[in-house]
Amino acid sequence: MNLVVVSNRVARGKANEPMTGGLAAALLPVVENSGAIWVGSSGRVRDGAQMEPIVEVEQLGAGALALLDLPAAHYAGYYEGFANSALWPALHSRSDLIRVSHDDYTSYREVNGFVARALLRFQKPDTLFWIQDYHFLSLGAELRGLDVKSPIGFFLHTPWPARGVIDSVPHHRELVEAMLAYDLIGFQTAEDCENFASCVRVDLGLKIRDGVVKSRHGRTRLAVFPIGIDADKFAQSAAKAISHPDVSRLRRSLHGEKLAIGVDRLDYSKGLVNRINAFDRMWSTHPGLLRGVSLLQIATPSRESIEAYGNLQSEVARLVSEVNGRHGEVDWTPIRYLNKGFGQSVLAGLYRTAQVGVVTPLNDGMNLVAKEYVAAQSPVDPGVLVLSKFAGAADELDTALLVNPHDIDGMARTIAMALSMPLNERRLRYEAMMAKLHRHSIQQWFADFVDSLQDTDIDEPEIEPLPAATAGLLAQRSAPPGTRYH
């Protein structure tokens, strides 16, 4: 088997460098150990209207990284435009934040076509293509258009929202139909899978039987693959990191007070404003916790050129300042707020130091921070995870303290409860969650998806054409004459 993994973002896995997101953290260890080729953006763009893909290859453990310079003319429209100003807000049920043009969609399809052409050099008779995330919804269709017959799978690292929300994305029908060029589409939760199936049934008029849909592309299987972490490896890293200088300084600075920790990209899906408001409410309603617990909030800046992100960064900074001004004292700061990332080894030590982990997104994919916090805890004296019921991890980590991030009073009460939870209950909850982490590890996720993709029947199936009404809608919404996507 020759496995080619494709994502917009890649990671090199240097121990002291911050991870750029859950996708990178998830894929890095399996690529390093499996011998796969991981293809993604180099972070550079290149001018030239007729540019052919240029690939730079470097070793990554047993595998390799293949880095592409993406076309400058289309990168902004693809990445900041359609991917992150249309798809990202919609996938996180924030259709009010969609800001997109037809040119952005054209650029999105152009970049998907460009990457498809670059992937041809990696195709062998035994190749499997595994495409990752919302940046490449149409990449499978582009590969099929280049006569690629190999099995092609797709995994979505974000939620898939209710049909009424995804309907707000321009060209959403074309994209859903294009996704059916994949042999296997994987989701993080059963709800995400069912939401996508609803789009297929209602918007495209296609039938789904036993998780399989037949379209003009062939057969596509829809399935759930909960993504995990290497819990034992992360636990070992956390134990070692206690002696790291950053972790040691943090522990000394606490002077016996308890610590809550939040680690997020600075993104509106993460619920940072609601979380800070909940801590503000907790200190107001539980004055005995003043000077008794502080919050370490690490919020790494993200996509700052997009207006919604710049506005959020200003709002969170203002709110932190107000809360610290209201509750702080000359020798005590309630919220320690850091706008920078940390390497995984340091984060593991910070998680282990904190008595409470707060992972409270408004809407999110799996959110591996929740699993990392649990794995980092000392089995003898574990902390408590406070987890949003709208994070994908809540399906598995049901012995965490689950909260509604829109209920500020409820979150404040739950955080206070976590801080006073008896040791015996903390251990029982921790042990139950660790058992889930071991069952749904990153290695199991990888093996399950690849095995399922290898089992795909790539013989030509009986074709079930699009219903006439749907075909007409797609034709009406297609690009004007002369538009090329690859």
Side-chain angles (χ1 to χ4, degrees):
M1 176 190 69
N2 174 47
L3 180 64
V4 177
V5 179
V6 185
S7 65
N8 178 71
R9 177 184 293 145
V10 299
R12 288 178 168 83
K14 296 179 181 177
N16 296 322
E17 289 187 359
M19 275 291 173
T20 49
L23 182 151
L27 289 178
L28 178 64
V30 294
V31 171
E32 286 181 324
N33 296 324
S34 69
I37 300 170
W38 187 1
V39 182
S41 169
S42 66
R44 300 183 299 267
V45 296
R46 188 180 293 266
D47 292 321
Q50 303 300 321
M51 181 187 70
E52 285 302 311
I54 297 175
V55 183
E56 174 188 340
V57 179
E58 60 185 60
Q59 188 171 354
L60 182 67
L65 284 181
L67 304 175
L68 301 176
D69 293 354
L70 297 181
H74 294 290
Y75 184 79
Y78 148 75
Y79 183 74
E80 294 175 0
F82 199 79
N84 286 309
S85 295
L87 289 175
W88 180 270
L91 292 169
H92 291 86
S93 299
R94 288 299 305 271
S95 53
D96 59 305
L97 294 177
I98 291 175
R99 306 286 186 272
V100 71
S101 69
H102 180 75
D103 287 345
D104 291 337
Y105 179 67
T106 299
S107 291
Y108 181 85
R109 295 299 299 256
E110 287 280 1
V111 171
N112 273 245
F114 174 86
V115 173
R117 295 194 299 276
L119 293 176
L120 293 179
R121 73 190 61 201
F122 301 110
Q123 187 180 19
K124 298 178 181 177
D126 62 343
T127 294
L128 301 178
F129 290 103
W130 186 4
I131 315 303
Q132 310 284 329
D133 226 6
Y134 64 101
H135 306 86
F136 296 124
L137 298 184
S138 60
L139 182 51
E142 298 289 351
L143 286 168
R144 296 302 185 208
L146 296 172
D147 204 32
V148 171
K149 305 295 186 185
S150 303
I152 311 175
F154 175 83
F155 184 79
L156 185 66
H157 292 256
T158 70
W160 187 275
R163 193 177 64 82
V165 177
I166 202 68
D167 279 357
S168 60
V169 176
H171 309 283
H172 72 279
R173 285 185 177 86
E174 293 99 310
L175 287 173
V176 171
E177 196 272 338
M179 289 174 70
L180 297 181
Y182 291 113
D183 298 290
L184 174 64
I185 302 178
F187 300 90
Q188 308 219 45
T189 70
E191 181 180 3
D192 298 329
C193 189
E194 178 50 39
N195 284 344
F196 182 82
S198 177
C199 291
V200 170
R201 285 191 294 262
V202 178
D203 289 341
L204 301 185
L206 299 176
K207 297 177 181 177
I208 300 174
R209 295 187 180 91
D210 299 323
V212 176
V213 56
K214 289 194 295 183
S215 72
R216 68 182 180 89
H217 298 287
R219 289 186 175 92
T220 301
R221 188 158 78 86
L222 313 180
V224 177
F225 300 89
I227 193 168
I229 64 171
D230 187 333
D232 290 335
K233 182 178 179 181
F234 204 85
Q236 293 166 7
S237 180
K240 291 178 182 177
I242 291 297
S243 59
H244 188 280
D246 286 341
V247 179
S248 297
R249 285 198 301 272
L250 173 64
R251 293 169 71 89
R252 287 196 302 270
S253 74
L254 293 172
H255 302 296
E257 74 180 88
K258 292 184 177 180
L259 181 71
I261 189 171
V263 177
D264 309 84
R265 281 191 308 107
L266 195 51
D267 188 286
Y268 47 76
S269 67
K270 303 302 182 182
L272 292 174
V273 169
N274 292 26
R275 182 184 306 167
I276 293 165
N277 282 329
F279 274 88
D280 182 24
R281 190 70 51 84
M282 181 193 72
W283 284 309
S284 296
T285 55
H286 297 76
L289 293 176
L290 290 168
R291 302 186 66 97
V293 59
S294 59
L295 168 65
L296 171 61
Q297 178 60 61
I298 297 169
T300 310
S302 175
R303 303 166 189 157
E304 295 171 88
S305 60
I306 297 175
E307 182 181 3
Y309 289 82
N311 293 341
L312 176 66
Q313 186 166 6
S314 298
E315 183 181 7
V316 172
R318 176 188 58 78
L319 188 58
V320 168
S321 178
E322 290 177 358
V323 173
N324 282 341
R326 185 157 41 247
H327 299 294
E329 299 181 23
V330 292
D331 61 344
W332 182 68
T333 303
I335 301 177
R336 307 170 185 221
Y337 180 56
L338 302 178
N339 286 137
K340 61 180 181 179
F342 291 86
Q344 290 290 91
S345 60
V346 176
L347 280 179
L350 300 179
Y351 292 141
R352 195 179 183 95
T353 301
Q355 285 74 30
V356 176
V358 281
V359 183
T360 54
L362 305 179
N363 194 294
D364 212 352
M366 185 56 64
N367 202 313
L368 295 178
V369 167
K371 297 188 174 186
E372 291 171 351
Y373 176 79
V374 172
Q377 296 310 296
S378 164
V380 177
D381 187 19
V384 180
L385 175 63
V386 175
L387 177 62
S388 167
K389 65 180 182 179
F390 302 123
D395 280 11
E396 298 170 80
L397 304 183
D398 52 2
T399 55
L401 293 182
L402 299 182
V403 295
N404 174 359
H406 301 283
D407 179 2
I408 304 301
D409 287 327
M411 276 205 292
R413 289 193 299 271
T414 302
I415 296 166
M417 182 192 310
L419 290 163
S420 62
M421 186 178 291
L423 176 60
N424 186 53
E425 182 179 353
R426 285 190 277 123
R427 283 179 176 169
L428 289 173
R429 289 175 181 271
Y430 161 80
E431 289 164 2
M433 288 188 284
M434 282 297 286
K436 296 280 184 71
L437 297 191
H438 284 126
R439 274 202 299 276
H440 292 149
S441 67
I442 186 66
Q443 294 87 354
Q444 192 64 51
W445 170 76
F446 177 83
D448 287 349
F449 193 97
V450 172
D451 288 349
S452 296
L453 186 56
Q454 284 182 301
D455 289 342
T456 300
D457 179 8
I458 60 172
D459 293 335
E460 285 296 319
E462 175 188 347
I463 300 297
E464 181 168 315
L466 287 173
T470 301
L473 279 171
L474 290 173
Q476 292 169 19
R477 291 169 175 261
S478 61
T483 299
R484 293 177 63 253
Y485 291 130
H486 59 79

